[in-house]
Amino acid sequence: TKRRSAPAGCWAVGVGHVVSFALLIAFLSSTFTAWCNSHLRKAGTQIENIDEDFRDGLKLMLLLEVISGERLPKPERGKMRVHKINNVNKALDFIASKGVKLVSIGAEEIVDGNAKMTLGMIWTIILRFAIQDISVEETSAKEGLLLWCQRKTAPYKNVNVQNFHISWKDGLAFNALIHRHRPELIEYDKLRKDDPVTNLNNAFEVAEKYLDIPKMLDAEDIVGTLRPDEKAIMTYVSCFYHAFSGAQKAETAANRICKVLAVNQENEHLMEDYEKLASDLLEWIRRTIPWLEDRSPQKTIQEMQQKLEDFRDYRRVHKPPKVQEKCQLEINFNTLQTKLRLSNRPAFMPSEGRMVSDINTGWQQVEQAEKGYEEWLLNEIRRLERLDHLAEKFRQKASIHEAWTEGKEAMLKQKDYETATLSDIKALIRKHEAFESDLAAHQDRVEQIAAIAQELNELDYYDSPSVNARCQKICDQWDVLGSLTHSRREALEKTEKQLETIDELHLEYAKRAAPFNNWMESAMEDLQDMFIVHTIEEIEGLIAAHDQFKATLPDADREREAILGIQREAQRIAELHGIKLSANNPYTSVTPQVINSKWERVSAAAGRRGGGLLWGVGAEQFPFYFWGQTSSFQPYDAREGGDVDDATLTVPHRCNEGEVGDATLTVPHRCNEGEVSDVTHAAPHRCPPVFWQGDAEFNRIMSLVDPNGSGSVTFQAFIDFMSRETTDTDTADQVIASFKVLAGDKNYITAEELRRELPPEQAEYCIARMAPYRGPDATPGALDYKSFSTALYGESDL
């Protein structure tokens, strides 16, 4: 069954309760009598029977005067019933004047010795004067007393105070309360949970002997009761609370110190976070700037492409988080300064080199170095592309030339003219003339090869040594060919005088066929040459040159037909006169078949070349490569990647303890090549709680934060208002006064006192930071709490 709450002085007994109502009355009478006597003895008197000794109202009025410290009306000294009733009414009126509503308790019942009503009245007095004024952390009366017991006994094993009945049956809670405040009186570690009678008696005896708290409870009654009476336990426990009122004062002081230290510890944590974040960001800046300023070119396009990819990874992957960290650093700095200002602390000054301005300076250096880095990379890649193009052109021309010179030295060194006939010698002379024409035509190619090699050297081509060696070999061979050609001509001319005639038609054929053949080879070489262009205008220039070339083809074709006509005419005359001609023209190796074959190749190559150039105009992607019978392009989009777009960053922003509201923070966010755009960050914004007290209070606050009546409040105006409203929340003098309470009014405090009164973490925080006390009354281990307290507010050099 449940016991319903009843008005003061009313008693409800549940059906099936273990003890009878008579036993409950007796139990409470004993407890209440002891409680009353603990106060009456201050006036030099006491009661023996609570039912009888309050009937005349005299000791009842005296009890109220003692516990309230106030004077009641003068009592009537008569012995008649009416006098007694008047005295009791004076006591009841005084109780009612203290805000206590008495229900069903009348003076007549007290005068008549009604035990139930008398106990109810005494319980009402206990509630009002011993329990009601108890206040612990915004809870009062019974709840406050229970919270006080829970906090005091929390560190003790086997103690779990949840109520004022069965939580106290084993006696450990009573012993824990005493040990917490007077540890020298109780050997708590020797108590056993399975011996409640011994525990209870130990606590009762110690309380009576050393704490002046009379024994109000009986150990056997408590142990023998399934559920001890709550009122009796509360009455007795309240005596402990008031006995340790000095300790309560110390607890209040400790609470104030804990709150102040908590603020400082949180601020120090924010400072450490700022310092770490600033150090990490500065270290990243220190590593990044030399990397961006390094302009050491690589040897190959692949290596430079990798550097470009690394840079784009930096822009896409590595830099954006650092942008967010920089924004977060500035937010943390402003948040910390706001919290310090609201808690009356001095502004935070970061260590040297880690100011927000230092971060901004380093960041500007990063962006300055970054600005020219990509442009340099792209220019280097273009330079290497040109080098590769030139190197390939050099290899192509060198290969063609080397193929042409193959066997030429052996040909020029042979002595075939010594045994040649007259016709043979004339053929050799004419052949040598054709070779000289061919040699002169190749002079331009050799000069081009040398010029390309020189350009590769000037552009610092990584494989220049091999290019130079090959070029030198070609030049040396060319000089040898020139010398051999001159020597052979002298030998042939010397022999020519001994020879008579040659076939004019064959000679004419040879003279015209060789240059034409050389022209076709040069044309094929030009048509197969590779070009690299970067603009449409360059392609259009190539197209114009190619059109001019094609315009000469009809004349060349007529020349071809003329040369072939000479051969046909010689053949016709030989057939007409029955002359048997040799299968080959003795003066040249250029046969009509060779001319026709090369002409077909020149015509086909001219067509493909023109188509490729026109396709390049349509492609519109550069650089564009054109080479011989194939054409390809390798598009390179320099606009690709690298930019940091505007971003929305969500960052936690804590201003002060209290409610959480949304706040919009605009921070500079660097996006691309130094451009700055505003990025709006929606972040949780923790603001102090404001409890409105009606329209008048709201209007008062708005008049302070919005004097112009604009309808909006700036963040700075809000901070200024909160600073004014909270300036007296705590000061250095208040903290010093709190430490003085914990120190027992001494000018110093010991580590043992700090560990006893403060939570472990905050006690060690103080011990580690307090300077030794140097006053004349100092003792070993004394700590200076005054300089420590002023240092918390920036008022000392600590």
Side-chain angles (χ1 to χ4, degrees):
T1 61
K2 295 183 179 179
R3 176 181 295 178
R4 297 182 179 178
S5 60
C10 296
W11 305 84
V13 180
V15 178
H17 202 285
V18 175
V19 295
S20 67
F21 185 67
L23 290 177
L24 175 62
I25 293 296
F27 186 70
L28 290 174
S29 295
S30 175
T31 302
F32 288 178
T33 297
W35 183 85
C36 292
N37 285 333
S38 69
H39 294 284
L40 287 171
R41 67 186 177 186
K42 298 175 184 177
T45 186
Q46 63 179 7
I47 61 173
E48 298 294 337
N49 190 320
I50 198 169
D51 303 341
E52 296 294 330
D53 293 349
F54 285 142
R55 291 179 64 182
D56 60 4
L58 295 176
K59 289 188 176 180
L60 178 60
M61 294 178 68
L62 183 60
L63 174 65
L64 291 173
E65 286 184 347
V66 171
I67 62 178
S68 68
E70 300 180 24
R71 296 291 296 179
L72 271 69
K74 187 176 181 180
E76 298 181 11
R77 296 294 179 178
K79 302 294 184 179
M80 299 178 63
R81 176 180 174 82
V82 65
H83 297 143
K84 297 178 180 179
I85 291 175
N86 288 339
N87 287 337
V88 173
N89 275 328
K90 290 178 181 180
L92 296 178
D93 290 342
F94 178 79
I95 295 172
S97 71
K98 298 302 180 181
V100 179
K101 185 177 181 181
L102 299 171
V103 179
S104 302
I105 298 179
E108 291 80 3
E109 286 83 357
I110 304 301
V111 172
D112 291 340
N114 187 316
K116 176 182 176 182
M117 293 302 174
T118 302
L119 292 175
M121 178 190 65
I122 297 301
W123 175 242
T124 300
I125 293 173
I126 293 172
L127 284 177
R128 172 59 184 83
F129 294 100
I131 298 177
Q132 180 175 314
D133 292 336
I134 294 174
S135 177
V136 178
E137 292 189 2
E138 301 182 0
T139 60
S140 59
K142 175 182 176 181
E143 291 77 12
L145 181 60
L146 182 62
L147 179 59
W148 178 79
C149 294
Q150 290 172 337
R151 291 187 57 186
K152 293 298 182 181
T153 61
Y156 293 87
K157 62 181 180 179
N158 297 324
V159 178
N160 184 17
V161 177
Q162 298 296 325
N163 49 57
F164 285 110
H165 37 80
I166 61 175
S167 294
W168 304 83
K169 283 191 64 175
D170 58 13
L172 292 178
F174 291 111
N175 284 276
L177 281 179
I178 298 172
H179 185 269
R180 178 63 184 270
H181 297 91
R182 297 288 300 277
E184 74 278 5
L185 300 179
I186 298 288
E187 293 182 297
Y188 186 83
D189 292 337
K190 294 184 178 181
L191 301 177
R192 302 199 322 270
K193 187 174 180 65
D194 58 357
D195 191 4
V197 173
T198 300
N199 297 338
L200 290 167
N201 283 327
N202 181 68
F204 297 160
E205 291 168 4
V206 170
E208 188 171 30
K209 183 177 180 180
Y210 296 101
L211 303 179
D212 199 26
I213 299 175
K215 184 177 180 180
M216 300 181 186
L217 304 173
D218 184 85
E220 285 74 12
D221 289 344
I222 293 176
V223 175
T225 302
L226 181 62
R227 179 187 170 106
D229 186 77
E230 187 175 59
K231 299 178 183 62
I233 300 294
M234 285 179 63
T235 300
Y236 189 53
V237 171
S238 68
C239 294
F240 283 90
Y241 178 86
H242 292 292
F244 297 130
S245 59
Q248 182 67 17
K249 184 179 179 182
E251 183 176 355
T252 301
N255 286 339
R256 177 183 290 276
I257 291 172
C258 287
K259 289 181 180 179
V260 172
L261 293 179
V263 171
N264 267 70
Q265 286 173 307
E266 183 179 358
N267 290 341
E268 287 180 4
H269 180 68
L270 290 175
M271 293 176 189
E272 291 172 0
D273 287 347
Y274 174 88
E275 291 283 342
K276 184 179 185 306
L277 188 57
S279 297
D280 293 344
L281 197 54
L282 285 170
E283 176 61 21
W284 179 83
I285 290 173
R286 185 191 65 79
R287 295 194 313 268
T288 302
I289 290 176
W291 177 69
L292 292 174
E293 290 178 344
D294 181 16
R295 298 296 193 270
S296 302
Q298 301 301 311
K299 294 181 178 180
T300 65
I301 293 179
Q302 290 74 20
E303 291 174 314
M304 290 304 298
Q305 287 284 7
Q306 183 59 51
K307 289 178 72 72
L308 180 62
E309 187 61 31
D310 292 342
F311 177 72
R312 287 174 176 170
D313 283 343
Y314 154 80
R315 293 290 298 272
R316 290 192 301 261
V317 179
H318 302 294
K319 185 181 178 182
K322 297 304 176 182
V323 173
Q324 186 172 356
E325 287 180 15
K326 179 175 177 292
C327 296
Q328 184 65 53
L329 186 76
E330 295 172 355
I331 292 171
N332 289 355
F333 181 80
N334 294 330
T335 299
L336 177 58
Q337 300 293 38
T338 301
K339 289 175 68 64
L340 291 171
R341 181 178 178 182
L342 291 175
S343 58
N344 298 326
R345 269 63 169 183
F348 168 57
M349 181 61 65
S351 57
E352 185 177 358
R354 292 184 175 89
M355 295 288 292
V356 172
S357 58
D358 297 323
I359 304 296
N360 289 333
T361 299
W363 193 264
Q364 291 173 1
Q365 293 173 352
V366 168
E367 294 193 332
Q368 186 64 32
E370 176 186 316
K371 192 174 295 183
Y373 190 69
E374 186 172 20
E375 182 180 358
W376 172 77
L377 287 172
L378 295 176
N379 288 336
E380 275 298 304
I381 289 174
R382 294 190 188 101
R383 183 182 71 84
L384 291 176
E385 286 175 343
R386 172 156 181 78
L387 283 175
D388 278 3
H389 166 69
L390 288 174
E392 180 60 31
K393 188 174 183 179
F394 173 84
R395 287 189 289 270
Q396 180 187 7
K397 287 185 176 295
S399 297
I400 293 173
H401 178 76
E402 288 166 348
W404 177 83
T405 59
E406 185 177 357
K408 292 296 189 292
E409 287 189 34
M411 179 195 73
L412 292 172
K413 290 179 180 180
Q414 63 184 352
K415 305 294 185 179
D416 51 348
Y417 54 83
E418 293 180 353
T419 58
T421 63
L422 182 60
S423 60
D424 290 338
I425 201 63
K426 287 189 175 291
L428 289 176
I429 291 175
R430 300 299 180 265
K431 183 178 180 181
H432 190 71
E433 290 175 352
F435 173 76
E436 287 180 328
S437 298
D438 198 7
L439 188 66
H442 279 78
Q443 176 68 36
D444 182 59
R445 182 182 295 111
V446 173
E447 292 175 355
Q448 290 179 10
I449 291 172
I452 293 173
Q454 180 63 28
E455 188 173 1
L456 288 172
N457 279 281
E458 292 173 355
L459 294 176
D460 194 23
Y461 181 55
Y462 77 96
D463 199 21
S464 290
S466 64
V467 170
N468 292 336
R470 191 173 184 181
C471 179
Q472 187 62 45
K473 183 179 179 181
I474 289 173
C475 291
D476 292 344
Q477 186 185 38
W478 186 255
D479 292 340
V480 171
L481 289 177
S483 177
L484 292 175
T485 300
H486 179 69
S487 298
R488 183 173 178 81
R489 166 171 279 281
E490 288 180 348
L492 290 174
E493 288 178 349
K494 183 178 180 180
T495 308
E496 185 183 16
K497 296 178 181 180
Q498 302 173 10
L499 304 176
E500 293 186 352
T501 61
I502 61 172
D503 189 333
E504 294 295 334
L505 290 175
H506 282 184
L507 180 59
E508 184 179 359
Y509 173 89
K511 288 182 177 180
R512 296 179 67 175
F516 185 71
N517 177 64
N518 187 64
W519 173 85
M520 288 191 296
E521 287 183 350
S522 296
M524 282 300 301
E525 180 179 344
D526 290 338
L527 291 172
Q528 292 176 347
D529 198 3
M530 180 177 68
F531 295 91
I532 180 169
V533 295
H534 295 82
T535 63
I536 292 179
E537 288 76 10
E538 293 183 51
I539 294 180
E540 290 173 348
L542 293 175
I543 292 174
H546 188 65
D547 289 343
Q548 292 177 1
F549 168 77
K550 289 195 297 184
T552 65
L553 291 180
D555 291 337
D557 190 42
R558 285 190 289 274
E559 175 64 10
R560 181 181 65 86
E561 288 295 331
I563 292 171
L564 296 178
I566 294 173
Q567 178 66 21
R568 289 194 295 271
E569 180 63 17
Q571 186 68 33
R572 185 185 68 78
I573 294 173
E575 292 175 355
L576 180 62
H577 298 282
I579 300 173
K580 186 177 182 181
L581 297 177
S582 175
N584 297 320
N585 190 314
Y587 302 114
T588 182
S589 60
V590 181
T591 65
Q593 292 77 12
V594 170
I595 292 175
N596 286 332
S597 175
K598 289 185 178 181
W599 177 255
E600 290 174 0
R601 289 172 58 197
V602 169
S603 299
R608 285 193 299 272
R609 180 78 161 195
L613 290 171
L614 291 174
W615 181 86
V617 174
E620 296 186 354
Q621 301 194 50
F622 301 96
F624 176 84
Y625 299 85
F626 181 86
W627 186 12
Q629 298 180 9
T630 62
S631 61
S632 62
F633 66 93
Q634 298 178 1
Y636 174 74
D637 189 354
R639 300 167 294 178
E640 175 183 316
D643 291 345
V644 177
D645 297 329
D646 290 346
T648 298
L649 305 179
T650 300
V651 290
H653 185 53
R654 183 183 296 272
C655 265
N656 201 352
E657 300 177 357
E659 300 295 333
V660 175
D662 290 337
T664 299
L665 304 176
T666 301
V667 296
H669 183 54
R670 201 166 294 278
C671 293
N672 188 16
E673 297 297 338
E675 297 178 0
V676 177
S677 64
D678 288 338
V679 180
T680 300
H681 305 271
H685 181 60
R686 192 169 294 278
C687 302
V690 179
F691 301 95
W692 303 120
Q693 302 175 4
D695 293 339
E697 177 68 7
F698 177 78
N699 292 333
R700 180 188 75 83
I701 294 174
M702 289 303 294
S703 67
L704 295 174
V705 298
D706 183 25
N708 298 325
S710 63
S712 62
V713 180
T714 66
F715 183 70
Q716 186 59 45
F718 169 74
I719 293 300
D720 293 340
F721 166 74
M722 291 306 300
S723 298
R724 293 194 298 272
E725 293 291 311
T726 59
T727 51
D728 61 345
T729 53
D730 59 76
T731 64
D733 291 338
Q734 291 173 329
V735 176
I736 291 173
S738 298
F739 272 117
K740 192 169 186 178
V741 171
L742 299 187
D745 287 335
K746 299 192 299 296
N747 291 322
Y748 61 87
I749 195 168
T750 65
E752 291 75 14
E753 289 170 331
L754 288 169
R755 291 190 177 102
R756 185 180 69 233
E757 300 295 343
L758 297 179
E761 180 183 354
Q762 294 183 322
E764 298 305 324
Y765 178 87
C766 293
I767 293 170
R769 288 164 174 77
M770 280 188 182
Y773 176 70
R774 304 299 185 187
D777 54 341
T779 60
L783 299 174
D784 187 355
Y785 61 79
K786 292 183 180 179
S787 62
F788 172 78
S789 300
T790 53
L792 294 177
Y793 295 85
E795 299 173 15
S796 78
D797 295 331
L798 286 180

